[in-house]
Amino acid sequence: MEELCGAGAAAPLRREAEEPKQGSVLFLGGNEVKSSAVVKYSSAPPQAAFARLQEKTDLKLPPANWLRESAKLGPAGTTILGNNKKSKPFSSFGMAYDFIDSVGNDVDVVSDSENIKKLLKIPYSKSHVSMAVHRIGRTLLLDELDIQELFMRSSQTGDWTWLKEFYQRLIDQKWQRKKKSKEHWYQKAILSKFLYYSINGDGAAQPVPSTSKQHQEGPVSGESDEAGRASWPAPFEMPSSLSEDPGASNQRSVPLEPSYLVGHVASAAKEQNLTTLFNDGENSQGLKNDFVRNILWTFEDIHMLVGSNMPIFGGGRYPAVSLRLRDNNKPINVLTGIDYWLDNLICNVPELVMCFHVNGIVQKYEMIKTEDIPNLENSNFSTKVIKDIAQNILSFLKSNCTKEGHTYWLFKASGSDIVKLYDLTTLCEETEDKYQNPFTMPVAILLYKVACNMMLKKNQNKKHYGTIRTLLLNCLKLLDNGRHPQIIASANYMLSELFQLDEPKKEDGADFPINGNSDESYSEEEEEMPDSDENGSYSNSSDPPDDNKAVAIIKSVGELSVPEKYKSVHRIRPSCAFPVCHGTEERCRLVLSYVLEGLKSVDSSVKKEGDLPAADPSTPIPLKYEDESTSGGPECLEKQMALFLDKMGSFQKGKHSSQSGMIPGSWQYKMKLQLILKSSKAYYVLSDAAMILQKYGRALRYIKLALQCHDTYCCLCASMLPEVLVFLCQCLTLCGDIQLMLAQNANNRAAYLEEYHYQTKEDQEILHSLHRESRCQVFAWATDLLTDLECQLSVSCKCYEAAYEILLFSNLKNQNPEQHIQVLKRMGNIRNEIGVFYMNQAAAVQTERVVSKNVSTTEQQLWKKSFSCFEEGIQNFESIDDATNAALLLCNTGRLMRICAQAHCAAGGDFKREFSPEEALYYNKAIDYYLKALRSLGKRDVHPAVWDSVNWELSTTYFTMATLQQDYAPLSRKAQEQIEKEVSEAMMKSLKYCDVDTVSARQPLCQYRAATIHHRLASMYHSCLRNQVGDEHLRKQHRVLAELHYSKAVRLFQLLKDAPCEFLRVQLERVAFAEFQMASQNSSAGKLKTLFGALDIMAKTKGAFQLIRKELLAESEQIRKEKSGAENVSPNDSSAALNKEEVLKLLNIFESRMSFLLLQSIKLLTSTKKKIGGIHEEEVVLKTNKQVYSLLLRATANKSMTLLERVEVILNLLEQLTPNAEASNGGVQ
């Protein structure tokens, strides 16, 4: 059993636990009980062997070394010998502070071993039991509550009178001080001398401190028992010094280092460790862990952290033994046996050495194994029963001590069988100030420390956040802001840190189980629940009415021996779940509520400066709002930006000041910085959420608050940490986004204005706290709600520029490449927006300019502004290799060039108009920019939509330029042939970039454009052919080209189902072209062939006329329905695109040309028939043509026919012509 060697080994330092030494699992009392112990800490020197005293040694005589220190004994000789002093009332807290990791989690009970023994002896003992019980998480802290000592103090000071009265009324009406007998002090004295005799050593004796004598000697040294009462601290009052100096180092003010700012916050440059909350205050308040040993004792399934002062010696068959002195005339009883057995179990000591004496004269020694103690004569007890008692008491306490932070009192009167549990906190609050309970402060500090410890564990799963939150909320309930502002501020900050602001919404409740297991879960606000009568365990129902103050009652101590009597009545609700926030706003609002409480604590502890006006939290702080007329527009922005960047530069140099008089480096200063930063982040997240919901006024208000927080942070902070600067960039970037959205949604301005000016009381109070430190106006230029579109766009741009500048001069762009790219993207985008804004303004000015021929300076200014914006935007996108966006901006620059070209067209009448060199210059510049855009993209795969868009714009530019050159030919400067060549080239280039094959929404447009180009080219060559004389080769070429382009135009117009008029016009031009050719033909056969070809062209227009008829029918149906009062018919149901005037014009031409062609064919066919005799086919054709001609003449003569009727006549005639046209073609050939 070598583990036992460590039982008394010295630890090098307090709070440095040894390597855990797992005690052996002892199966004692017939395999009934499992027990193991690990020494967590020991201050004892290496254990000395005990000296066996000679018989007849008189223990009444003091040994030479009595009460003296020796090197062998270590500095606390008296302690190692197991001074039998009373347990201090806060002994469990001292242990809990030292082993904070175990509290609230792994350990069920923390207590002095004496208290544990007293509890386990309840069914066997008639003596009274009085203990304070506190719950921290799943751990119970047990401390002796010495009522007699407490009431002696109450008599002198007047404190605790309420408890004294309550005690006298309910429990012991004739309470009086019970003095300890002389026998008690006699036994204490001879035990002390016996232990000193047993140390085998005679080092140089030195007098021991008088405090040790008080505890050791008792009356022997002539001291009264009152000295032992010094261990009770005074109730926690606020000392006068605290109100004057918040940083004073005393117990009540709990000095803190900045390291209490736990969790990873943006400003934490490096990992910080939590410092001890108490300095010297611990010792003075009796909160020191002064046990010789702290042992983690596992008894069956109960884990206990136990403090023990039992002396352990070497010698015997084992490396460790405990030494006991017994009066031979008094047999060992059950209580003594249990005492010895438990002491040895707790300390893992395998053997007991008993020295018997009679009247102080040593008689004999006896060695007893620990496992044999339960079977000693007169001291028989069942270890299994002790196990059941332990489990029942623990279950009883855990079931009823449910409220964290409350002091419970477990009380059994002397000689009584009834054990009662009272909630002293509730009783105290009914009568007096909660600080009359001396346990209030230590409990609060312990709750705080456990929460801190859990927060500092970086690998801590979020499922513990609910536990941490409950610990902190219960801690705050116990604290008073006037007395403990520092802990309150810190606890509130930690509560705010529990809510992860940057998480996606789905995680709000995902990681936090709604229910934990019953051991770990407890409620910070336990509702009153009816007592359970299950198994008859405990009930108030049959008790006298006086007992209604008790939380729970064990009616008979005998019940504790019944196995699992209280096992099934745990009433701990699993209510420690982290609150599930339904949305980002709720989460941020919770964070801000904690931040506000923290700020209030900090502000209340800072001395009020005489010149600082007291802010009234009920008065809203006006949010600055300026009309653009007073704000000075973009020029004013430049100055504000320069001032802002200058100030940012000064932050880098480390200038800072606090208006409220906070001392840099003080806890208030450090805490306020963290709280302000947290609130800034919360407002940023709220702003982002409002932005997503398109509540832009609200978003601007929140980002304004975020930046005001940041402004205050900057005023206080000596040096800006990189993380904080990156966050500032994010805020400015979001502010830029919001201003841009406000500019783009000007229609809802009234709603946004209302959202912007709304303020919650919480926001006002946070602002008041901020205004204690700074004016919060550094970012006013960025966060005002403007009504001028240009100003809004400029502010947006300035926000991005400010963010970019910060990244630049802080050298942060390399560490934060993503942020850098985002800012540059937004800068490119806003410059595009501003460029487009100026470009549209220029276009508007241009449309208004009717009379003046010259371009105005206003237009030119707008072009320059627009152009420089596009240029800067292109540079932004190119610097981050964003080819797509760079292409879009190049495309917009091309559009600007086209607007410039349009502005230069002469304003005179159309008959004088010529295509000017300025127009040509700007159109060519536009073409250059579009080609650059295509080069930027490289290939269509990069971004098909942008690629197609640029191609379309390029095609349009070539087409417009060609059309203008064709329609307004610059004949005064160029020859006709040159113009025709240039038009042809431009048209062919337009065709090149006009993609008719790719299926897309733009395909019909492309087909229409291509058809129009072919039509225009065909018309041009047709015109050339008519006007040209001479060069036969060129004429032939033009004829071929005209025919080619006409046929292509026809083919494309046929694909389109919504261009019948265009199709008809092309076909009529082809007929005219045929007529022109026929005029130059001499032979009848040739003329006849051309005529039949022209008639065939006319016959092919049937499809176009069918489309026209369909649209006319739909239109007449529409009119009929409207007349009959039919509802639900919109006037645009039919294709309103049909131009009736155009149709009428084309129909007239068509009728005249058809009439002419039919007449010519009849003449030619008749003359041919006379010459060569009739051919059957030609006779049929002639007959049909005559018939059709006759019908046509009648129809044209009838002026009363409607357009629809005329179209139907044409369709009917074309129907008759179609087969004959084919036959005659065949016949002629």
Side-chain angles (χ1 to χ4, degrees), residues 14 94 140 243 270 448 472 533 627 706 844 846-847 1039 1077:
R14 170 169 294 284
L140 297 175
S243 58
K270 52 183 91 144
Y448 174 82
L472 291 169
D533 288 333
D627 191 74
Q846 187 184 308
T847 52
R1039 186 168 59 246
Q1077 281 181 296

Side-chain angles (χ1 to χ4, degrees), residues 883-894:
T884 308
N885 281 317
L888 282 169
L889 263 77
L890 285 162
C891 199
N892 277 339
T893 316

Side-chain angles (χ1 to χ4, degrees), residues 217-503:
E217 288 185 52
V220 177
S221 61
E223 295 286 330
S224 71
D225 187 37
E226 268 71 18
R229 287 197 298 280
S231 60
W232 268 97
F236 287 78
E237 296 299 339
M238 181 169 172
S240 56
S241 63
L242 180 60
S243 58
E244 290 158 21
D245 180 9
S249 175
N250 60 50
Q251 164 65 23
R252 291 97 177 173
S253 143
V254 194
L256 281 163
E257 289 300 314
S259 47
Y260 60 81
L261 306 172
V262 293
H264 179 70
V265 290
S267 66
K270 52 183 91 144
E271 196 60 45
Q272 298 165 320
N273 296 318
L274 191 74
T275 55
T276 315
L277 270 163
F278 294 111
N279 297 340
D280 300 332
E282 276 186 353
N283 308 342
S284 62
Q285 289 291 355
L287 294 168
K288 186 181 173 189
N289 175 7
D290 55 3
F291 291 105
V292 175
R293 275 173 221 86
N294 299 133
I295 297 154
L296 194 58
W297 179 41
T298 305
F299 185 58
E300 282 293 309
D301 57 347
I302 304 169
H303 303 288
M304 293 178 260
L305 182 62
V306 181
S308 170
N309 290 324
M310 185 178 81
I312 298 174
F313 295 87
R317 290 162 296 175
Y318 298 103
V321 295
S322 59
L323 206 54
R324 301 286 183 175
L325 183 65
R326 287 297 305 167
D327 190 333
N328 211 8
N329 298 328
K330 294 178 185 172
I332 296 174
N333 61 18
V334 173
L335 295 175
T336 311
I338 292 172
D339 233 26
Y340 292 172
W341 180 69
L342 288 173
D343 266 335
N344 275 18
L345 274 195
I346 289 167
C347 294
N348 235 351
V349 176
E351 196 164 17
L352 166 68
V353 176
M354 203 154 347
C355 175
F356 292 91
H357 74 97
V358 176
N359 294 326
I361 308 297
V362 174
Q363 301 295 317
K364 62 172 182 177
Y365 278 85
E366 196 176 313
M367 312 283 273
I368 304 163
K369 284 185 181 176
T370 301
E371 55 262 42
D372 296 335
I373 296 172
N375 304 318
L376 291 176
E377 196 180 342
N378 299 322
S379 170
N380 267 335
F381 61 90
S382 162
T383 55
K384 193 170 185 312
V385 170
I386 301 292
K387 177 203 77 170
D388 292 334
I389 293 166
Q391 288 173 336
N392 280 326
I393 286 176
L394 181 67
S395 292
F396 173 77
L397 291 175
K398 278 202 168 182
S399 300
N400 296 292
C401 302
T402 52
K403 295 180 184 177
E404 242 181 356
H406 281 227
T407 298
Y408 291 90
W409 179 29
L410 186 73
F411 180 76
K412 180 176 92 74
S414 185
S416 168
D417 264 1
I418 299 172
V419 182
K420 296 177 183 177
L421 186 71
Y422 296 96
D423 183 347
L424 289 188
T425 304
T426 308
L427 292 172
C428 174
E429 283 168 355
E430 287 170 8
T431 54
E432 297 189 33
D433 175 15
K434 64 183 171 188
Y435 294 96
Q436 286 295 315
N437 175 357
F439 284 103
T440 300
M441 193 59 196
V443 172
I445 297 301
L446 187 55
L447 288 165
Y448 174 82
K449 279 189 135 183
V450 173
C452 282
N453 187 58
M454 291 176 92
M455 280 285 275
L456 282 172
K457 289 181 180 169
K458 289 291 173 199
N459 57 355
Q460 191 68 263
N461 193 307
K462 284 180 190 167
K463 71 179 180 187
H464 293 300
Y465 277 14
T467 309
I468 296 169
R469 178 174 173 268
T470 309
L471 288 164
L472 291 169
L473 288 174
N474 288 327
C475 166
L476 287 170
K477 281 182 191 172
L478 298 174
L479 297 169
D480 175 69
N481 200 22
R483 293 176 168 102
H484 319 291
Q486 190 172 1
I487 308 175
I488 288 176
S490 177
N492 275 301
Y493 175 71
M494 279 200 284
L495 280 166
S496 75
E497 274 291 285
L498 290 174
F499 294 85
Q500 298 301 307
L501 292 175
D502 47 0
E503 282 178 357

Side-chain angles (χ1 to χ4, degrees), residues 571-842:
R571 297 189 300 152
I572 305 150
R573 291 184 302 151
S575 57
C576 191
F578 198 66
V580 177
C581 298
H582 303 291
T584 310
E585 181 145 8
E586 193 181 334
R587 186 168 64 224
C588 292
R589 279 285 157 206
L590 263 174
V591 168
L592 288 168
S593 68
Y594 293 132
V595 166
L596 178 58
E597 289 307 312
L599 287 171
K600 283 179 179 173
S601 291
V602 173
D603 292 343
S604 69
S605 72
V606 177
K607 290 178 184 175
K608 303 283 189 294
E609 289 295 300
D611 58 347
L612 186 72
D616 175 17
S618 62
T619 309
I621 292 173
L623 282 161
K624 188 164 156 279
Y625 171 73
E626 283 186 7
D627 191 74
E628 70 273 11
S629 57
T630 58
S631 66
E635 294 75 22
C636 182
L637 267 180
E638 295 289 343
K639 292 176 190 169
Q640 289 178 315
M641 262 290 290
L643 284 169
F644 159 70
L645 290 170
D646 181 55
K647 182 157 185 177
M648 288 307 300
S650 74
F651 291 151
Q652 299 300 100
K653 295 172 197 139
K655 294 179 186 173
H656 60 275
S657 62
S658 161
Q659 292 179 10
S660 68
M662 276 197 305
I663 302 155
S666 65
W667 73 264
Q668 289 100 328
Y669 172 82
K670 290 170 181 171
M671 176 53 86
K672 191 154 189 176
L673 273 181
Q674 295 306 319
L675 288 166
I676 288 170
L677 193 59
K678 190 72 184 179
S679 60
S680 186
K681 287 182 177 175
Y683 282 128
Y684 170 82
V685 174
L686 279 169
S687 179
D688 196 38
M691 178 83 169
I692 292 162
L693 294 171
Q694 298 180 349
K695 302 280 186 186
Y696 303 123
R698 189 196 300 176
L700 187 62
R701 168 164 56 90
Y702 283 137
I703 203 67
K704 175 166 187 157
L705 287 162
L707 286 166
Q708 283 177 319
C709 292
H710 219 291
D711 183 7
T712 309
Y713 183 92
C714 295
C715 284
L716 293 176
C717 197
S719 58
M720 296 290 273
L721 292 161
E723 298 94 311
V724 180
L725 284 171
V726 169
F727 175 63
L728 176 56
C729 288
Q730 289 171 343
C731 287
L732 286 166
T733 306
L734 181 59
C735 189
D737 293 349
I738 295 163
Q739 291 284 14
L740 175 57
M741 287 295 108
L742 285 165
Q744 290 177 348
N745 296 273
N747 300 341
N748 297 334
R749 189 169 281 142
Y752 297 146
L753 204 60
E754 192 179 334
E755 287 171 10
Y756 179 69
H757 287 302
Y758 173 79
Q759 248 189 329
T760 66
K761 190 169 187 294
E762 203 171 62
D763 295 340
Q764 288 169 27
E765 290 183 1
I766 289 173
L767 264 177
H768 280 299
S769 181
L770 297 179
H771 280 126
R772 288 170 62 89
E773 312 305 334
S774 88
R775 287 179 58 247
C776 304
Q777 288 300 313
V778 171
F779 298 99
W781 58 270
T783 55
D784 287 339
L785 181 54
L786 306 161
T787 52
D788 178 66
L789 185 60
E790 186 181 352
C791 282
Q792 283 177 321
L793 291 171
S794 298
V795 167
S796 178
C797 188
K798 294 298 171 200
C799 287
Y800 299 138
E801 284 172 9
Y804 183 68
E805 289 292 329
I806 290 166
L807 285 174
L808 272 189
F809 69 60
S810 315
N811 298 320
L812 288 169
K813 70 175 189 180
N814 296 332
Q815 294 97 301
N816 300 274
E818 187 56 37
Q819 179 86 1
H820 181 235
I821 289 167
Q822 283 302 318
V823 171
L824 278 169
K825 257 192 182 172
R826 283 171 162 82
M827 277 168 71
N829 178 54
I830 191 66
R831 281 166 174 165
N832 178 49
E833 291 286 340
I834 297 171
V836 169
F837 170 76
Y838 288 134
M839 180 166 70
N840 291 340
Q841 276 200 321

Side-chain angles (χ1 to χ4, degrees), residues 1 37 44 91 102 119 180 232 234 445 449 470 502 510 609 682 711 749 756 851 1013 1057 1066 1122 1146 1158 1200:
M1 288 183 65
S91 60
S102 306
L119 279 181
K180 290 187 176 166
W232 268 97
I445 297 301
K449 279 189 135 183
T470 309
D502 47 0
E609 289 295 300
D711 183 7
R749 189 169 281 142
Y756 179 69
V851 187
I1013 290 170
K1057 298 296 177 195
V1066 174
E1122 281 175 4
L1146 289 169
L1158 286 169
S1200 62

Side-chain angles (χ1 to χ4, degrees), residues 913-931:
R913 164 90 202 273
E914 276 193 5
F915 184 67
S916 68
E918 289 85 2
E919 283 179 272
L921 173 75
Y922 281 115
Y923 277 123
N924 282 313
K925 277 188 178 180
I927 287 164
D928 286 344
Y929 281 112
Y930 289 131
L931 290 170

